[in-house]
Amino acid sequence: MKINTSRFGTIEIEEKQVIRMPEGMIGFPDFRNYVLLEHKKESPFWWWQSLDAPSLAFVLTDPLLFQPDYEVQISKEDADILQVGGASEGLKTFVVVNISKDNPPLITANLLGPIVINVAKRVACQIIQFQSSYSHRFPLPLRI
Amino acid sequence: MLILTRKIGECIVIGDKIKVYVMDVRGKQVRLGIEAPAENVIYREEVFQKVIEENKLAAEAVQFHFSKFKEGE
């Protein structure tokens, strides 16, 4: 299928690459279908591109690259949305990257609101870590 | 909005499973004790607002920095 994006133009993806977010990103409840695209080979970044809004995209990274003991708590309700039983195998966690307007820009990751993807079921959820003390602006040792 | 007056140690009940106790009042701060089933997520509203705000900033940052992002890295 072809999808329109502001940044990559029209791109061709396979239908099975579409990941549903039944509740959307927090603050963006109307947009519920995303695709995860590699930024570049060997890059720590991915793109989380909305299929419903061509201009809506987030940069994601893998929190385990810089926070090896990062752990996500998943409530029963979120586990239901993600269609997982008791075990959490097959889940992949990403965090949203923010790039400040400073010069040079400060790159931070939001560890408070990770995105958890059930890769097999193609469904994802942004899960606020209410019980944690994770930062929403964790500085990353990365440059653009 | 329902507004109730309670004294320290008193409680309100929401539905048949949730209880909110007033534990202590000091100046402008109120300590609440909450009993609720595990499936009810309880959180401070500002945490939720923080994530909304951060998502919006991140989406804007993508627009702002995209040209740089495309060349560099």
Side-chain angles (χ1 to χ4, degrees), chain A residues 57-129:
Chain A
F58 298 87
V59 176
L60 307 185
T61 190
D62 178 351
L64 299 179
L65 293 177
F66 48 88
Q67 191 79 333
D69 56 354
Y70 185 68
E71 266 185 5
V72 174
Q73 301 271 342
I74 301 174
S75 70
K76 186 171 176 309
E77 286 174 344
D78 291 324
D80 288 346
I81 292 172
L82 289 169
Q83 303 174 40
V84 283
S88 63
E89 71 266 24
L91 297 183
K92 185 89 185 94
T93 300
F94 290 91
V95 289
V96 180
V97 173
N98 193 356
I99 307 161
S100 78
K101 291 181 180 172
D102 306 308
N103 190 14
L106 178 66
I107 303 185
T108 58
N110 180 0
L111 302 187
L112 196 55
I115 295 170
V116 181
I117 303 173
N118 183 339
V119 178
K121 303 273 186 184
R122 315 306 299 171
V123 61
C125 203
Q126 188 173 24
I127 304 177
I128 301 183
Q129 299 299 293

Side-chain angles (χ1 to χ4, degrees), chain A residues 33-46:
Chain A
N33 297 290
Y34 287 84
V35 62
L36 186 67
L37 303 168
E38 262 187 342
H39 177 52
K40 283 175 186 170
K41 285 269 171 241
E42 311 292 317
S43 166
F45 299 117
W46 282 264

Side-chain angles (χ1 to χ4, degrees), chain A residues 122-143:
Chain A
R122 315 306 299 171
V123 61
C125 203
Q126 188 173 24
I127 304 177
I128 301 183
Q129 299 299 293
F130 290 110
Q131 312 298 330
S132 78
S133 54
Y134 287 131
S135 168
H136 66 304
R137 291 202 181 139
F138 183 89
L140 297 187
L142 298 171
R143 299 177 61 176

Side-chain angles (χ1 to χ4, degrees), chain B residues 38-51:
Chain B
E39 66 264 25
N40 292 100
V41 182
I42 298 163
Y43 54 86
R44 294 176 177 86
E45 195 201 13
E46 60 268 27
V47 177
F48 195 74
Q49 290 301 336
K50 228 185 229 180
V51 175

